[in-house]
Amino acid sequence: MFLDSWKRAGIAPELFFSTRGRESLWKFLTGMIPPDLSWSFLSLMLRPALETIQISLWGTVIAVLIGFPLGLLGTNTLAVRGILNDAELQGAPVRRSLRYGVYLMARGALSLFRSIPEFVWAFMFVRAVGLGPFPGVLAIGVAYGGMLGKVYSEIFEAVNYRPLEALQSTGANKLQIFFYGWFPQALPNFVSYTLYRWECAVRASAILGLVGAGGLGQQIEISMRMFNFNEVLTILIILFLMVAGVDYLSAKVRALL
Amino acid sequence: MNSTLHQYRLENVRKLFGRQQAALDGIDLEINQGEKIALIGPSGAGKTTLFRLLNCTLRPTSGKLYIDGEDVDLLHGKRLRHVRRRIGSVYQQHNLVPRLRVIHNVLAGQLGRWPTLRSLLSLCQPNDVELAHNALSQVEIADKIFERTDELSGGQQQRVAIARVLVQDPEVVLADEPVSSVDPTLASTIVRLLIDISHNTHKTLLVSLHSVDLALAYFPRVIGIKQGRAVFDLSPDKISDDMLEDLYSGNFRDHAVTETTSGNIETIAYPSLS
C-alpha cells in the first residue's frame, strides 16, 4: 500500500537534484535572504498582521459556537448509549430512534463542515459576502467548527462516567449532568484543544488570504507575484512569531487550570 | 396488588447484558419503608447491578420492579427524574467530580430540585452555602467546604459523598460498597454514620458490604446474593456459618472467572464509558 501510494503520489526526490529544480529552489531561497526589515515595509505589514490575528480569533470563536453544541449532540454516550440512557431508552423505541436521528444529523453536519477544505469555504463566502476578512472568518468558523465538534464529542465520551452516574441518580437532567460532571472533567482537554485550533487558524488565515480573504495571506500573494521573496520571508517570520505567541498564551492559560 | 405498601417490590427481576450474561437471574424482594438492610455476597454476584436497578440507573430486562407502587417500566423523562430524586446513592469510589470544589459536589444533591438555570448559576456563585455547610458539619468536614475535591483523602471524599446524599434528603439511601476502600475503623464509623442519618429521618437504607462482620453487627436484615440470585434473606441471628460458607464457597476458583466476566459485562454494555 505504501509503495503504491509512493508511486501514485508522484514522490520523486531525485527532482531536487536535477539542475532545473536545484536552480529555481536556489533562486527562491537566496532571493529570500536577507528578509526585508525596512521600517516602511514592516509598518505596511502591521495592519494585515493584526487582521490575521483578528480573523483567526473570530473564526475560532465561531468555530466553538458551531462545534460545541453539535459536538454535544454528537456525543454518543450523552445521546443514546451507555449507563446514562439505559433506564430512559429501554423499551422506548420511538425515543431511541428520535435521539439516534438527532445524533446522526449532528455527526453528519460536522463531517460535512470539516470535509470541505477551508479555502473552498472561503472561496464560496467570498462570492457570497465579497472580498475582505469577513469571508475568512466564516470559512475558518465553519471548517474548524467541524473539526472542533468532532474532537469535543470524543473528549466528552472519554470522561469518567462514574461521577455522571452519581449526578444522574440525584434526579439531575442531562444539561445539569453535563455542566456539573461532564464539562468540569473535560475542561483541560477542551481548552487546550481549542487553543491549539486557534494556533492552526492563525496559519490557515494566511492561506485564506490567497483567495482574497484578507490578512497576511493576501500580502504573501502580492509579494510572490512580484518576485519580492525577501518580503515573503519577512511575512513568514511574522507568522512564526504570531504562532509562537499564541502557543505561549495557551501554555499560560493551561497552567491556570 | 398491594405493592403500594412496599418501598420496593421486585418480582422475578432479571437483568441481562449482551443478551446471554445474566447479571441478575430472578430476584424477588420486598422492602418496607424505613428498613435497614445489608447485602452481602461474592464480587460479581450482581450486587452493583441490583443497586443500579434500585436507583433507576438501569432497568430490568424482564420481571417487575415497583418503587412506592410505581412500575418503573412506565417512568420516563421528568417522572423518572422525580423518582430518582427520592433515592440517594453512595458509591464505592465516591463518584464525586474531582475538579469541582467540595461545595459544588455537595450541592449537586439539589440538582433534582433546582431548575437548570439556577443550578448553572450556582457553579459561578454557590447558591446555598449554609445548606452545604450544615451537611458537611454532620459528616464533620465543614472546614473543607471550599477545597477542591480531588485534594481530599479517600475517607474525606466518602464523607463528601454522604453530605451530598444529606443535601438530596431522599426517602431511600443506597450504599454500594461504601467502605471497601477505607481502613476498618473508618469503615465502621461510616457505616454507623449511614445508619444514623437514615435512622433520624426514617429513611430506608440498603448497604452492600464486603465485610460480613459489619453486616451482621449493624443490620437487622441481611440478604445474601450469589450468581444473580438471593440465597438467603434473614435476620443476623438466623444466619449460620454454613450459610455464609455456602455463600462464598467455590469462589476461589470461580472468583477470578466471575471477576473477569463481570468486567466484560461492563465493557460489552458500556465500552466507551469505561
Side-chain angles (χ1 to χ4, degrees), chain B residues 186-207:
Chain B
L186 192 56
S188 65
T189 316
I190 286 180
V191 168
R192 246 177 298 155
L193 188 63
L194 284 168
I195 291 175
D196 283 347
I197 61 169
S198 35
H199 191 73
N200 296 341
T201 45
H202 202 63
K203 296 184 201 311
T204 309
L205 175 66
L206 231 87
V207 183

Side-chain angles (χ1 to χ4, degrees), chain A residues 12-248:
Chain A
E14 70 274 10
L15 283 183
F16 274 108
F17 302 102
S18 74
T19 348
R20 220 170 62 90
R22 210 167 45 197
E23 266 171 13
S24 51
L25 184 67
W26 187 245
K27 212 161 94 190
F28 184 71
L29 287 177
T30 49
M32 285 169 99
I33 297 168
D36 186 351
L37 294 175
S38 65
W39 180 243
S40 61
F41 181 68
L42 282 180
S43 59
L44 208 66
M45 287 303 106
L46 196 67
R47 250 184 63 100
L50 211 64
E51 202 171 79
T52 294
I53 292 277
Q54 288 159 342
I55 292 172
S56 66
L57 187 66
W58 274 101
T60 310
V61 169
I62 292 178
V64 173
L65 292 180
I66 292 174
F68 187 74
L70 284 180
L72 207 59
L73 293 175
T75 301
N76 205 336
T77 44
L78 186 79
V80 277
R81 282 195 32 236
I83 204 153
L84 297 175
N85 296 297
D86 188 283
E88 186 76 35
L89 296 183
Q90 187 172 313
V94 180
R95 238 169 228 264
R96 184 184 287 274
S97 35
L98 218 65
R99 292 256 197 103
Y100 203 65
V102 173
Y103 163 76
L104 284 181
M105 264 164 24
R107 303 284 304 187
L110 289 173
S111 303
L112 179 72
F113 289 169
R114 69 173 185 277
S115 63
I116 299 175
E118 56 259 33
F119 81 89
V120 177
W121 283 114
F123 206 69
M124 296 197 309
F125 286 126
V126 166
R127 292 284 151 87
V129 300
L131 291 169
F134 187 47
V137 169
L138 291 176
I140 289 182
V142 174
Y144 280 37
M147 300 177 207
L148 284 178
K150 179 197 155 66
V151 177
Y152 287 167
S153 70
E154 278 164 18
I155 292 173
F156 294 149
E157 273 166 29
V159 308
N160 180 3
Y161 72 93
R162 291 180 181 276
L164 311 181
E165 181 187 346
L167 289 171
Q168 171 176 259
S169 78
T170 67
N173 65 34
K174 279 276 165 61
L175 218 58
Q176 289 171 321
I177 297 173
F178 181 80
F179 282 103
Y180 271 77
W182 231 306
F183 197 58
Q185 290 191 76
L187 191 65
N189 284 334
F190 180 87
V191 170
S192 72
Y193 187 71
T194 307
L195 290 174
Y196 168 65
R197 271 292 146 201
W198 181 30
E199 196 184 304
C200 297
V202 172
R203 208 174 37 222
S205 64
I207 295 172
L208 294 184
L210 297 176
V211 295
L216 278 177
Q218 219 152 12
Q219 303 304 320
I220 295 186
E221 211 234 335
I222 293 168
S223 300
M224 291 257 235
R225 208 183 287 161
M226 298 166 89
F227 296 103
N228 287 332
F229 294 127
N230 33 16
E231 290 181 5
V232 174
L233 183 59
T234 315
I235 298 170
L236 291 182
I237 291 171
I238 296 174
L239 260 180
F240 169 77
L241 289 178
M242 290 198 306
V243 170
V246 170
D247 183 43
Y248 176 77

